[in-house]
Amino acid sequence: MLSWLFAAVFSAGAGWRARKKKSFSPRRMLRVEPLEARNLMAASIVPQLSSRPGAAATLYLDFDGHVEKQWGNRTNVVTPAYDTDGNAASFNAEETAAIREIWKRVAEDYAPFNLNVTTTPPAVIADRVAARVAIGGGYSEWYGSPAGGVAYAGGFAGTGSNVAYVFSNTLGGGNPKYVAEAVSHEAGHLFGVEHQAKWNGRTLAAEYNPGTTAWAPIMGIGYYAERTTWWNGATTDGPAAYEDALAVISSSKNGFGYAADDYGGSISTAAALPVASSNINLKGTIGRNDDWDMFKFSTAGGAARFTLDVIADGANLDGVLELKNAAGQTIIMANPPGVLGATLTKTLAAGTYYLVVHSSGGYGNLGQYAVRGSVTGSTPVVSNPQPPATTPTPEPTTPPSSGSTSTGAKIVDDGSASYLAAGAWKMLAGTGYSADARTAAARSGGTSTWTFTGLKPGQYRVAATWSGSQLNAKDAPFTISSGGKTLATARVNQQRAAGTFTSGGVGWQNLGTVSISGNTLTVRLASSANGRVLADAIRLERI
């Protein structure tokens, strides 16, 4: 039985018009996108970018050319490299900048999910593991019909190919905004989302909802809108046939779901506001429609200023800042109209306060943010308060050796009695936390285990540190457990230094947030990766 091919043709005079025709018979539902506006190369290196290393699944943006042996009923499909200057032999500075912008925009669209958007080739492209979007060339080079991109709906989970295509030469000659919109759209199809349409009553006005100049749905036409987001909107099946894009992407069919919440959303779970010399710098993600990130701080009194920044290219989030008092009552809020970021200032009396970040509301209003600012007269806030001392104890400028606490966090180093190495591990003197670290060769069968005891039941954030090296594995496997039960797993890229956040002058990478009912927690690193793994220190913080 023939499947249906949905295409769109652009007419300079008439705009977009929908056309539906019978296609070749690939057995699976194929989605072809509207068009806007070389040969495979031995290119200079594509910038290596990853949005969420160690995530459950991977979306690979392939810029340097690709050959797919079988795609539907087509063989040897050749995608040339992304190219805007006519020189397919290398990427110039402008092309490199464009690649970074495309990646940033797509990473923002997929920021809520446990998905790594990357330009680094994954070890394998496989169903429910990794998908590829090949970016380059034009539709006429092999596809034949006018299109900005093409993908199989549900391809990531095995319904057709998990390789999609974006014809960048067709999209304004490689315009980063247009290409990024097409990539997120095509990937949306791979994850099972259909086109979101525009209806006038019972009449289909447009197969691809164009939105407005201010906003459009990602699964409509987002090329010309200033901002695009995921949407719960009507499909071409009918004006009442709504599709919840976020629910489809995060479904069990795809398997990766949402990313773990990075910060608590209540007074009891608020994270300590990171204040260094009265200055604040932190990053986070609003990943759900009801996600609130709360940060606790104390001050002896003085001026406070906070600025919420969204990402510079392709922001999905329209953010709000609130300042609450110790009782949780809002004393000031910043949500300026027509601006996605926010700034608030307030002269504070001595006391404890909570800074809150959340979206301004509405479906799909999710994304990454950064907060910067200053608090005069700030004093340290720890997750597990201790009896007050005569003077506050600052974080150390050099890491302590083992089992120490830093701003309420407990740290176990590989030199601690709470660390156990099994198998062939070698010491790297002068490297890492406390100037020591251990390594094990790829697939050598060893394990490193860090054990935390004397804990209180509750929720803990687990992080690891390591020094980046090209010798290290891209898939180092960590397992977090308590009471013999596995609570979380994470595979991390140790070729890059740990860097989710910095504490005590040390870069740390979040491995996950878990809840325990007992008083012990264990973190284990296995040397079963495809490269050298590095065991250093683990940081545990109760939240």
Side-chain angles (χ1 to χ4, degrees):
M1 181 177 180
L2 291 176
S3 66
W4 291 98
L5 175 69
F6 293 87
V9 180
F10 183 75
S11 168
W16 291 101
R17 59 185 175 86
R19 180 179 70 184
K20 185 165 79 174
K21 65 177 182 180
K22 292 226 176 146
S23 76
F24 54 83
S25 178
R27 293 206 206 171
R28 303 295 188 186
M29 188 63 72
L30 187 66
R31 289 292 178 262
V32 183
E33 305 319 324
L35 64 89
E36 161 45 42
R38 335 178 222 184
N39 297 323
L40 284 174
M41 74 175 185
S44 56
I45 297 175
V46 174
Q48 301 298 283
L49 307 166
S50 292
S51 64
R52 198 180 291 276
T58 299
L59 177 61
Y60 170 42
L61 312 189
D62 187 351
F63 289 93
D64 58 3
H66 175 65
V67 176
E68 187 71 9
K69 292 182 179 180
Q70 187 76 39
W71 194 82
N73 64 355
R74 302 178 186 234
T75 59
N76 295 321
V77 175
V78 177
T79 300
Y82 176 78
D83 179 23
T84 63
D85 67 350
N87 178 9
S90 64
F91 295 120
N92 63 23
E94 184 179 66
E95 289 167 328
T96 299
I99 289 171
R100 289 183 180 275
E101 180 180 337
I102 293 164
W103 169 80
K104 286 180 183 178
R105 289 177 176 274
V106 178
E108 169 74 349
D109 290 339
Y110 288 94
F113 307 106
N114 189 13
L115 179 74
N116 183 27
V117 179
T118 183
T119 60
T120 301
V124 62
I125 301 290
D127 294 343
R128 292 168 57 89
V129 174
R132 180 196 306 266
V133 181
I135 303 164
Y139 67 84
S140 62
E141 293 175 16
W142 66 270
Y143 187 68
S145 299
V150 63
Y152 281 91
F156 177 78
T159 308
S161 175
N162 51 14
V163 178
Y165 296 90
V166 167
F167 305 121
S168 58
N169 288 359
T170 304
L171 299 169
N175 178 293
K177 155 72 170 167
Y178 295 168
V179 172
E181 294 295 343
V183 171
S184 290
H185 184 117
E186 297 306 332
H189 284 321
L190 290 178
F191 298 132
V193 190
E194 295 289 338
H195 288 144
Q196 292 180 318
K198 182 177 181 180
W199 291 79
N200 288 332
R202 301 292 303 175
T203 301
L204 179 64
E207 179 182 349
Y208 311 91
N209 190 321
T212 65
T213 55
W215 172 88
I218 292 171
M219 299 310 293
I221 294 180
Y223 299 132
Y224 312 113
E226 181 178 345
R227 177 169 169 249
T228 60
T229 67
W230 301 109
W231 191 45
N232 184 7
T235 68
T236 55
D237 293 335
Y242 274 49
E243 183 174 51
D244 184 336
L246 292 169
V248 173
I249 295 170
S250 63
S251 70
S252 59
K253 185 174 183 179
N254 288 321
F256 50 81
Y258 284 102
D261 192 10
D262 48 3
Y263 299 108
S266 65
I267 287 177
S268 62
T269 61
L273 185 71
V275 183
S277 301
S278 298
N279 295 315
I280 297 104
N281 282 285
L282 65 90
K283 293 182 179 180
T285 299
I286 299 301
R288 306 284 189 99
N289 292 323
D290 59 353
D291 186 11
W292 282 40
D293 289 354
M294 293 189 70
F295 305 91
K296 182 179 181 179
F297 69 96
S298 295
T299 176
R305 179 183 176 86
F306 304 99
T307 295
L308 169 69
D309 297 314
V310 297
I311 69 168
D313 298 311
N316 290 17
L317 176 66
D318 179 8
V320 178
L321 278 177
E322 288 191 44
L323 191 61
K324 295 178 178 288
N325 61 19
Q329 301 166 324
T330 299
I331 56 177
I332 186 172
M333 181 176 70
N335 180 24
V339 179
L340 300 183
T343 295
L344 63 80
T345 59
K346 184 72 173 177
T347 299
L348 302 175
T352 297
Y353 298 88
Y354 296 88
L355 181 69
V356 185
V357 180
H358 61 88
S359 83
S360 60
Y363 185 96
N365 188 356
L366 313 171
Q368 304 166 80
Y369 68 85
V371 174
R372 54 189 168 87
S374 61
V375 178
T376 303
S378 61
T379 57
V381 174
V382 296
S383 297
N384 295 309
Q386 301 296 319
T390 55
T391 57
T393 302
E395 290 192 312
T397 55
T398 57
S401 59
S402 64
S404 61
T405 57
S406 175
T407 60
K410 187 173 184 180
I411 297 171
V412 173
D413 188 30
D414 62 304
S416 166
S418 298
Y419 167 83
L420 177 66
W425 292 84
K426 296 180 179 180
M427 184 70 71
L428 285 179
T431 298
Y433 194 92
S434 294
D436 65 353
R438 305 186 191 213
T439 65
R443 298 180 296 279
S444 59
T447 58
S448 273
T449 304
W450 298 261
T451 301
F452 295 83
T453 59
L455 304 176
K456 295 181 180 180
Q459 192 175 38
Y460 290 83
R461 182 175 292 117
V462 185
T465 187
W466 62 82
S467 301
S469 169
Q470 292 300 310
L471 299 175
N472 293 346
K474 294 181 179 180
D475 57 346
F478 285 88
T479 302
I480 306 169
S481 59
S482 179
K485 180 182 178 182
T486 298
L487 303 179
T489 60
R491 286 188 175 268
V492 301
N493 183 356
Q494 290 193 324
Q495 291 191 355
R496 294 185 176 189
T500 304
F501 65 97
T502 300
S503 178
V506 178
W508 299 91
Q509 188 85 20
N510 285 332
L511 300 180
T513 300
V514 298
S515 296
I516 65 172
S517 56
N519 58 7
T520 63
L521 184 143
T522 300
V523 180
R524 180 171 288 108
L525 170 64
S527 61
S528 57
N530 293 321
R532 183 183 76 169
V533 295
L534 194 149
D536 199 347
I538 299 295
R539 182 182 190 271
L540 189 67
E541 181 182 11
R542 192 167 189 264
I543 60 176

